[in-house]
Amino acid sequence: MPMTGYQIKKALESFRIIVDTREQATNKLEARLKDFGCPYERATLDYGDYTFNVTLADGVLCDTSVKVAPKVAIERKMDIDELALCLTHERVRFLKELERAKDKNAKMYLLIENGSWDDIINGNYKSWINSRTFLSNICFLQAHYDLNIVFCKDYNAGIVIKTILYQEAREYIKLKGSNNEKSNSIDTRVSKIKTLDR
């Protein structure tokens, strides 16, 4: 039986955000956490900086006592220059992280603060990387890793992160309820077949 609106609402009441332990304690992080407007917990993520956690009928989605491999994660970059660094000097490390997410069939968002597509195209950044090469690299990541790219101002990052993760959690809960219904339906059909065989 699919989850009712009430059951989805109850599950979402347990919604909280997991913040990777490597996110440094700064005033901006404190502002981001405050803007979440919901509970959060710190844990080590295998990829990304933020994900969600919920408590369902069969238990907690993510065990935060061990390294978490999220189903959905947001990788945050404080500006275009930090992203440029990830595509040049730190490219190997960055691509390994995206590969780990891809191997786990995780949905990834890349949130870039204080920038835009126009800034990249027009070379409005400090890095030496050519703007066309930069754009091409980002579009490759988008296509190859099915990466969702989001730009926002740093003072809106907390609200954007929370909204993305809340909607992803809602969809996950609905899908899980739908999959449980399919699983129960298959079990019922198998049971009927066995009964006919006797």
Side-chain angles (χ1 to χ4, degrees):
M1 187 172 193
M3 291 179 79
T4 64
Y6 175 77
Q7 289 171 318
I8 293 169
K9 183 182 175 186
K10 289 300 289 181
L12 283 171
E13 285 176 4
S14 70
F15 172 85
R16 59 249 189 224
I17 293 173
I18 301 176
V19 182
D20 186 64
T21 51
R22 288 161 291 200
E23 275 283 81
Q24 296 179 7
T26 63
N27 290 337
K28 285 189 176 181
L29 175 62
E30 288 306 313
R32 219 174 292 132
L33 300 178
K34 187 177 178 183
D35 285 343
F36 287 165
C38 69
Y40 65 88
E41 52 194 329
R42 301 295 297 257
T44 303
L45 302 183
D46 195 26
Y47 38 84
D49 299 312
Y50 300 90
T51 189
F52 66 84
N53 206 358
V54 287
T55 303
L56 303 168
D58 56 355
V60 177
L61 176 63
C62 299
D63 177 4
T64 55
S65 66
V66 295
K67 186 180 275 190
V68 176
K71 299 188 180 304
V72 176
I74 299 176
E75 175 75 15
R76 185 190 66 85
K77 300 300 173 194
M78 66 180 172
D79 55 32
I80 292 174
D81 281 295
E82 185 182 5
L83 178 58
L85 187 66
C86 290
L87 294 174
T88 53
H89 301 298
E90 296 182 6
R91 185 179 182 86
V92 173
R93 181 199 59 78
F94 186 54
L95 292 184
K96 279 183 180 177
E97 185 173 359
L98 293 178
E99 284 293 340
R100 288 197 302 275
K102 188 176 182 178
D103 289 345
K104 297 284 186 177
N105 294 316
K107 185 174 182 179
M108 286 290 291
Y109 287 84
L110 177 61
L111 181 105
I112 306 154
E113 297 177 351
N114 304 315
S116 68
W117 288 109
D118 288 338
D119 287 330
I120 292 166
I121 291 165
N122 295 319
N124 295 333
Y125 49 84
K126 295 173 186 172
S127 174
W128 54 265
I129 189 171
N130 174 279
S131 61
R132 287 193 178 187
T133 303
F134 200 172
L135 179 64
S136 179
N137 272 265
I138 294 171
C139 291
F140 162 76
L141 296 178
Q142 208 171 15
H144 188 73
Y145 296 104
D146 198 19
L147 194 60
N148 298 277
I149 297 178
V150 180
F151 291 94
C152 73
K153 295 294 184 185
D154 58 356
Y155 51 78
N156 286 327
I159 297 167
V160 173
I161 290 167
K162 190 268 179 89
T163 304
I164 289 170
L165 292 177
Y166 187 84
Q167 293 303 324
E168 287 288 354
R170 190 172 189 279
E171 290 304 307
Y172 174 79
I173 292 165
K174 283 166 58 180
L175 185 63
K176 187 168 173 57
S178 173
N179 286 343
N180 284 344
E181 180 191 17
K182 287 176 186 172
S183 176
N184 291 337
S185 175
I186 290 168
D187 290 344
T188 303
R189 288 199 302 271
V190 169
S191 176
K192 285 180 180 176
I193 290 168
K194 285 180 179 176
T195 303
L196 291 172
D197 285 344
R198 285 177 187 160

